[in-house]
């Protein structure tokens, strides 16, 4: 009796509402975890060995290492010798909101808008990537994995080993039964073949948000001979992503979500997805950190560690323009920061910016249909 009732409930609740309900449950689970104050700690550590900034972290001990990765912290451990800072160069990072803090997402998705010719999407790919696709695409094909043996083999020989190779023993693995559930019911698992050899797999699902359909990558997987060869991995990875994009277009999705990655502007994976047309989006995020910029030197801090932040329903990017670097160095530093999906870009400045530099920075976004506003903030 339970199964028909469950099916009836699914029919009565729209896909968009189901997405919002899942999002609310994830948010509630995150808030509940944060509310366990007895698991919190207060820790101090340096941003980097050669940096003048210290980080004061207030939150769960289990989240401290994640915060370090999110901020690009390179100093090992916690420095118990660091004294309270009187220079105003301490960055407060908390799991709960504090006055004046930036609301920094933990993860972001890279979402490609569809409903347009594929040639228009690939026109922004770099020359090497387009050449690779033209040369190799026809050698590959995609086949859906439907039986238990194929699904288990893909999980054990590609999904799990590749995740472990990228993130070590701390990799977040998907349980085999969940892979099977997604492959058979909630989405699909595709095997990617080069001639007759399986060289990759793609696990994806359908998400409906505000009436728009997203084909969303959950995981890519590769066998050891592929991921251990950097050149081969680059080729197969690019082809696999492109084939998932093709499938999304052929099946009339509104967006292709290339997948979730760390919400760090300097993150190489996020830049890789940006170069494939992915706009930053909070689609796959349910958790936030709250970062209060230092009282002095905010421009220098954001030069070292740019940050995304959420304002209302918009996603913003905070960049630093300190006194020392030349205009050429600043332009070079932010060459890869032309993310789509932003509502505003804040430039925290220690000096007045030349109009030519502002034009160069605005130029990072001129290829977008809706470029973000750019606002200069004078740092203390």
């Amino acid at each position: 009796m339970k199964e028909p009732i469950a099916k009836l409930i699914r029919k009565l609740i729209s896909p968009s509402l189901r997405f919002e309900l899942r999002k609310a449950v994830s948010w509630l689970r995150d808030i509940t975890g944060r509310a366990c104050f007895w698991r919190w700690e207060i820790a101090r550590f340096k941003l980097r060995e050669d940096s003048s900034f210290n980080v004061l972290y207030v939150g769960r001990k289990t989240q401290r290492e994640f915060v370090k990765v999110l901020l690009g912290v390179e100093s090992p451990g916690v420095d118990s010798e660091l004294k309270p800072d009187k220079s105003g160069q301490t960055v407060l990072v908390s799991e709960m909101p504090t006055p004046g803090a930036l609301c920094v997402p933990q993860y972001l998705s890279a979402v490609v808008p569809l409903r347009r010719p594929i040639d228009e999407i690939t026109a922004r790919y770099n020359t090497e990537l387009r050449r690779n696709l033209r040369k190799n695409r026809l050698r590959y094909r995609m086949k859906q994995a439907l039986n238990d043996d194929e699904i288990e083999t893909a999980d054990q020989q590609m999904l799990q080993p590749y995740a472990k190779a990228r993130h070590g023993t701390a990799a977040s693995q998907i349980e085999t039964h969940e892979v099977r559930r997604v492959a058979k019911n909630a989405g699909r698992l595709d095997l990617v073949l080069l001639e007759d050899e399986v060289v990759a797999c793609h696990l994806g699902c359908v998400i409906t948000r505000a009436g728009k359909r997203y084909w969303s990558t959950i995981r890519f997987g590769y066998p050891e001979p592929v991921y251990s060869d950097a050149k081969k991995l680059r080729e197969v990875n690019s082809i696999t992503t492109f084939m998932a994009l093709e499938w999304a277009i052929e099946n009339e999705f509104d967006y292709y979500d290339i997948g979730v990655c760390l919400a760090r502007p300097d993150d190489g994976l996020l830049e890789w997805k940006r170069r494939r047309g992915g706009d930053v989006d909070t689609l796959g995020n349910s958790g936030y950190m709250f970062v209060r910029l230092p009282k002095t030197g905010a421009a220098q801090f954001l030069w070292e560690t740019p940050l995304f932040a959420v304002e209302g329903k918009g996603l913003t990017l905070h960049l630093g323009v300190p006194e020392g670097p030349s205009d050429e160095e600043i332009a070079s530093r932010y060459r890869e920061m032309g993310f789509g999906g932003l509502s505003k870009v804040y430039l925290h400045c220690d000096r007045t910016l030349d109009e030519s530099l502002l034009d160069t920075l605005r130029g990072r976004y001129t290829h977008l249909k809706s470029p973000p506003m750019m606002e200069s903030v004078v740092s203390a």
Side-chain angles (χ1 to χ4, degrees):
M1 189 70 180
K2 289 183 179 179
E3 187 174 346
I5 292 175
K7 287 184 178 179
L8 178 62
I9 291 173
R10 282 197 295 270
K11 288 181 180 179
L12 292 174
I13 300 176
S14 69
S16 293
L17 182 56
R18 284 202 295 270
F19 171 79
E20 295 300 332
L21 289 173
R22 287 195 300 270
K23 185 177 178 181
V25 169
S26 296
W27 175 83
L28 183 61
R29 188 181 297 118
D30 181 68
I31 290 296
T32 302
R34 291 166 189 263
C36 300
F37 297 113
W38 57 91
R39 296 175 181 168
W40 282 35
E41 67 171 3
I42 298 177
R44 289 180 180 271
F45 43 86
K46 287 187 71 65
L47 184 65
R48 296 179 183 87
E49 291 300 326
D50 59 349
S51 174
S52 60
F53 296 101
N54 300 326
V55 176
L56 176 63
Y57 171 65
V58 182
R60 286 170 291 176
K61 186 175 181 179
T62 54
Q63 288 292 98
R64 187 210 308 155
E65 292 306 312
F66 174 82
V67 168
K68 288 188 169 188
V69 174
L70 187 65
L71 296 181
V73 172
E74 295 176 357
S75 59
V78 173
D79 194 337
S80 58
E81 299 299 319
L82 286 176
K83 305 300 180 184
D85 176 47
K86 296 181 180 180
S87 67
Q89 291 193 306
T90 290
V91 181
L92 174 63
V93 181
S94 174
E95 287 209 85
M96 288 295 178
T98 56
L102 301 178
C103 180
V104 177
Q106 296 179 356
Y107 297 96
L108 290 176
S109 291
V111 175
V112 183
L114 305 180
R115 300 291 182 177
R116 52 186 173 143
I118 197 166
D119 289 345
E120 183 179 329
I121 298 172
T122 58
R124 298 223 41 100
Y125 290 7
N126 64 40
T127 304
E128 181 183 355
L129 177 56
R130 291 200 304 270
R131 186 187 302 118
N132 176 33
L133 293 174
R134 284 195 304 269
K135 179 181 177 182
N136 297 305
R137 170 63 184 91
L138 294 179
R139 302 169 60 213
Y140 290 80
R141 59 189 175 92
M142 199 159 64
K143 168 189 154 185
Q144 186 176 6
L146 293 170
N147 65 60
D148 288 344
D149 287 343
E150 287 180 325
I151 294 169
E152 185 173 348
T153 299
D155 179 45
Q156 298 296 323
Q157 297 184 12
M158 290 188 280
L159 291 172
Q160 292 197 35
Y162 180 57
K164 186 175 180 181
R166 286 182 60 205
H167 303 292
T169 55
S172 175
Q173 299 284 7
I174 303 174
E175 297 290 339
T176 299
H177 67 83
E178 180 65 12
V179 173
R180 188 180 299 112
R181 185 189 71 81
V182 172
K184 290 191 169 186
N185 301 307
R188 57 187 282 150
L189 174 64
D190 288 301
L191 305 178
V192 177
L193 290 84
L194 172 57
E195 313 300 353
D196 294 321
E197 178 188 4
V198 176
V199 293
C201 67
H202 174 270
L203 183 67
C205 67
V206 179
I207 293 175
T208 303
R209 178 174 70 166
K212 300 295 184 180
R213 294 172 67 243
Y214 295 70
W215 177 238
S216 181
T217 291
I218 299 173
R219 286 285 169 90
F220 292 110
Y222 303 94
E224 194 275 338
V226 172
Y227 68 69
S228 62
D229 183 329
K231 183 178 179 181
K232 182 179 291 187
L233 178 61
R234 280 196 299 272
E235 177 186 311
V236 177
N237 200 3
S238 294
I239 296 290
T240 302
T241 306
F242 184 71
M243 292 176 75
L245 171 69
E246 286 181 318
W247 191 88
I249 292 173
E250 290 165 3
N251 288 272
E252 300 184 339
F253 282 85
D254 298 290
Y255 297 92
Y256 169 46
D257 169 21
I258 310 178
V260 172
C261 51
L262 194 68
R264 182 181 168 194
D266 279 328
D267 182 64
L269 179 58
L270 187 58
E271 291 179 1
W272 185 90
K273 293 178 179 182
R274 179 191 62 77
R275 290 193 289 269
R276 282 150 181 80
D279 294 344
V280 287
D281 192 301
T282 56
L283 176 70
N285 180 71
S286 60
Y288 298 86
M289 303 303 299
F290 299 90
V291 179
R292 195 167 71 193
L293 299 177
K295 293 179 180 178
T296 59
Q300 181 63 41
F301 170 73
L302 290 168
W303 169 261
E304 298 179 26
T305 307
L307 293 173
F308 290 112
V310 171
E311 288 185 9
K313 294 184 178 180
L315 187 61
T316 64
L317 176 62
H318 292 255
L319 306 176
V321 184
E323 186 68 40
S326 66
D327 287 1
E328 291 75 16
E329 289 174 314
I330 292 167
S332 177
R333 172 74 174 96
Y334 299 133
R335 188 179 304 280
E336 300 294 335
M337 297 290 174
F339 297 101
L342 299 172
S343 62
K344 186 178 286 189
V345 176
Y346 289 96
L347 301 176
H348 296 255
C349 308
D350 277 345
R351 59 185 174 87
T352 302
L353 301 186
D354 292 339
E355 195 61 35
S356 60
L357 176 58
L358 284 171
D359 287 342
T360 299
L361 296 178
R362 291 190 189 102
R364 301 285 183 256
Y365 306 93
T366 53
H367 64 284
L368 302 171
K369 289 185 177 180
S370 300
M373 294 176 57
M374 190 166 286
E375 180 177 324
S376 296
V377 180
V378 179
S379 298

